[in-house]
């Protein structure tokens, strides 16, 4: 049975490509996610459907933290909210514990929020699977390819190299 979790942090084209490259991820939905309260506005994100017997929550969160600016409160944080979106209180507790364990790997505080998933708006069809359709475009070479290299360096056993052309 598949589980799902949503991630926001940087451009959803980049985030989509990162998670599509992982073995155990069955589907990535690119679009915009909203939560509650001050985070009710939509922000670029992806929903990741994965097989927890192949890839763990911990690995997915580690990948997320290492492939976007998870310690930077930059000016574009409303559009690119650094977040892990969950569906239950149990998932909220699990993700918070995982994030706490990763903090010692960073020199600055992790700013990634753990939020409840409230709503999703999918991207336009022309933007879905952006890297897979456009690997040679300048944006992909400049912004997505370096993130995929991080995956290959940090998580080589978990990357589907056929998908990213390595």
């Amino acid at each position: 049975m598949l589980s799902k979790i949503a991630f926001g942090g940087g451009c959803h084209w980049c985030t989509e490509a990162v998670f599509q490259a992982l073995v155990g991820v069955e589907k990535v939905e690119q679009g915009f996610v909203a939560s509650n309260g001050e985070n009710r506005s939509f922000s670029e994100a992806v929903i990741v459907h994965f097989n927890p017997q192949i890839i763990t929550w911990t690995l997915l969160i580690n990948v997320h933290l290492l492939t976007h600016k998870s310690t930077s409160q930059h000016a574009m944080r409303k559009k690119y909210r650094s977040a892990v979106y969950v569906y239950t209180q149990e998932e909220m507790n699990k993700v918070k514990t995982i994030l706490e364990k990763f903090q010692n790997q960073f020199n600055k505080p992790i700013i990634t929020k753990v939020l409840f998933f409230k709503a999703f708006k999918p991207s336009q069809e022309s933007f879905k699977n952006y890297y897979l359709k456009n690997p040679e475009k300048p944006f992909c070479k400049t912004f997505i390819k370096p993130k995929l290299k991080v995956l290959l360096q940090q998580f080589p056993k978990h990357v589907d190299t056929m998908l990213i052309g390595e």
Side-chain angles (χ1 to χ4, degrees):
M1 185 166 150
L2 295 181
S3 295
K4 66 181 178 176
I5 188 170
F7 295 102
C11 163
H12 52 203
W13 295 350
C14 297
T15 310
E16 175 189 56
V18 163
F19 288 102
Q20 284 177 329
L22 296 172
V23 174
V25 171
E26 299 296 324
K27 177 178 163 186
V28 179
E29 296 178 79
Q30 182 206 110
F32 304 85
V33 171
S35 186
N36 299 314
E38 67 181 28
N39 299 298
R40 70 183 171 276
S41 63
F42 283 92
S43 181
E44 292 192 21
V46 297
I47 301 172
V48 176
H49 301 258
F50 66 99
N51 182 335
Q53 296 188 341
I54 297 173
I55 189 165
T56 66
W57 286 73
T58 301
L59 186 90
L60 290 167
I61 292 166
N62 195 12
V63 164
H64 182 59
L65 293 175
L66 295 175
T67 56
H68 84 285
K69 295 179 178 175
S70 59
T71 61
S72 173
Q73 250 334 336
H74 56 73
M76 297 294 289
R77 274 292 169 224
K78 288 242 186 266
K79 182 177 181 183
Y80 303 123
R81 184 181 302 125
S82 180
V84 178
Y85 299 92
V86 297
Y87 299 87
T88 68
Q89 186 62 51
E90 181 184 340
E91 291 172 355
M92 170 82 67
N93 297 340
K94 179 192 306 192
V95 172
K96 284 183 176 181
T97 300
I98 292 168
L99 284 173
E100 287 171 15
K101 289 179 182 174
F102 282 124
Q103 180 57 65
N104 66 0
Q105 294 181 15
F106 295 87
N107 295 328
K108 296 180 186 175
I110 294 171
I111 58 123
T112 305
K113 298 175 182 178
V114 185
L115 303 170
F116 283 109
F117 179 95
K118 180 73 174 173
F120 178 73
K121 289 192 305 190
S123 294
Q124 295 174 354
E125 198 59 42
S126 61
F127 296 128
K128 293 177 183 175
N129 298 305
Y130 191 80
Y131 178 78
L132 295 176
K133 292 190 256 184
N134 306 288
E136 297 304 316
K137 284 204 172 182
F139 181 89
C140 294
K141 287 182 172 183
T142 303
F143 297 104
I144 298 175
K145 200 72 164 157
K147 294 174 188 301
L148 297 176
K149 286 188 180 185
V150 168
L151 287 183
L152 287 169
Q153 292 167 351
Q154 299 288 323
F155 311 97
K157 291 187 280 182
H158 301 282
V159 177
D160 182 348
T161 55
M162 296 288 289
L163 215 71
I164 61 173
E166 292 293 323

